Amino acid sequence: MNIDDLEGLDEETRKKIEELLKITREQNRGEVFAQAQFKIYDCLLGVKKYALALDVLENMKESDDKGYYELAQMNIAIVKYYFKGNLDEAYEIIIELFKRNSWVTTIASEYAFNFAKDYLEKNEYGKSIKLFSLINDTYLYETYCYKKINSFLLDSETETLGKNFIKLLDQTLLIVNILKLDFSQLPDTDKAPERKLAHYTGTYTTEKLLDVDKEKRYPSPFRINTINNVNDPSEGQLLSNHLKGVKETSFYAPDFDEKLHAFIGCFTFNHDSLNQFRLYGKQDDKEASGISLVFNQNFFQKHNSVAGLSYVALEDNLQKIDTASIQRITDESSKRRDIKKPVEKIKEQPVMRCVYIDPTSDYIHLAQRNRLTFFREFGDDILEGRSTTKAESEWNEYKNISNKKPIISKKRLQS
């Protein structure tokens, strides 16, 4: 790239690039030169000069810096795919990065996933299967599903069924992505309105979780339970009736299916709710005798870099917890070490918003904090120079953000 290429750029961008162009390969070999090239690339991408941005990356050599070179290759694939519409060239670059076992393949998996889905739509199943095979470790569940779908698409008798399965899976992943909380997107983790979630329970369970029982040698992990044990196991029937257009107000618990279980743990954004204390915070059936356990975002999966449902593949989410090396004094002169076998524990899981459906209408509402909690948090403090309370201001801001999020509609659920 030379100065003549910068014609038409705004003054600020042009001057910034001119300074970066002074860092040449001859005088600044290695990482310094590579970093400068990426800064130029970012500048050009910001002003939508995609051809020039590509030129900068394609000028980089492996001898400059191997890590930056591989990162450049991945970005070349991204530009070719998203801004140039050249899927085949992007495909070849991604395949080469996986062959090299490059450090960027974990990041590149997200783009490879999109490429694979594009090839499915183009009926190029060979390339699609190859890409899905490469990203199997990252997109475990989705890869399993799409490979199964590919087997239907390759057979002319089941091709239509396979295409319907693709629509169903794509729509399911879209809805999951809308419902899943992404704590990494919180604007300020100390003040974000959805920074903490509460679980209402009795004192007995709380003692087990916090290891209050002195006879126990380590606390119990938080456990998820089968949905058949919740207070209203007919909730799934409500959704089924909604999709079928059946408007009923009375429901029955479905038959127990021992081969199919859904496991959940229940939380709420409202950590000081009298009604939920009454319903769920009970000990020995005494009203409001339980506890609201408040968890911050570190307890949950902050952000799943892989969109979708891969976390349901439990064999990939189990970690060994070593409970050995616990000593108990038996007398003044000796100690006995109780050896426990390592136990399996599921890693942090994402949080999904509840969807509330009115059975007699098409009204659908996503779980969120209620207005009252803002007044409990901020009291009656008035904002400086304004007549509005801080609570009202925070609530309105939260409501505006919530209204901008994608919605779950009956049409989306049925499609």
Side-chain angles (χ1 to χ4, degrees), residues 232-269:
D232 183 11
S234 65
E235 289 177 352
Q237 184 191 349
L238 177 65
L239 174 61
S240 177
N241 285 349
H242 178 75
L243 296 179
K244 294 175 182 177
V246 178
K247 297 185 178 182
E248 293 185 5
T249 56
S250 60
F251 302 94
Y252 59 89
D255 293 334
F256 181 78
D257 186 349
E258 62 181 16
K259 295 181 180 179
L260 183 62
H261 289 275
F263 289 86
I264 62 170
C266 298
F267 300 88
T268 175
F269 292 121

Side-chain angles (χ1 to χ4, degrees), residues 173-227:
L173 295 176
L174 176 62
I175 291 173
V176 166
N177 222 32
I178 293 172
L179 296 180
K180 188 164 50 178
L181 285 176
D182 186 355
F183 292 104
S184 68
Q185 298 298 314
L186 292 178
D188 187 330
T189 55
D190 293 328
K191 298 179 181 179
E194 294 180 348
R195 65 189 180 277
K196 54 188 178 182
L197 293 167
H199 175 77
Y200 290 83
T201 188
T203 53
Y204 174 81
T205 300
T206 302
E207 288 173 353
K208 298 298 181 185
L209 292 172
L210 301 181
D211 196 18
V212 177
D213 183 355
K214 300 303 180 183
E215 295 300 316
K216 287 184 65 64
R217 289 164 293 171
Y218 53 91
S220 169
F222 186 94
R223 304 189 182 203
I224 55 178
N225 209 334
T226 173
I227 198 168

Side-chain angles (χ1 to χ4, degrees), residues 13 16-17 40 136 159 194 258 271 330 358 365 411:
T13 302
K16 189 174 182 179
I17 293 177
I40 294 173
N136 183 70
E159 185 177 6
E194 294 180 348
E258 62 181 16
H271 64 277
T330 57
D358 176 47
H365 178 69
K411 182 178 179 181

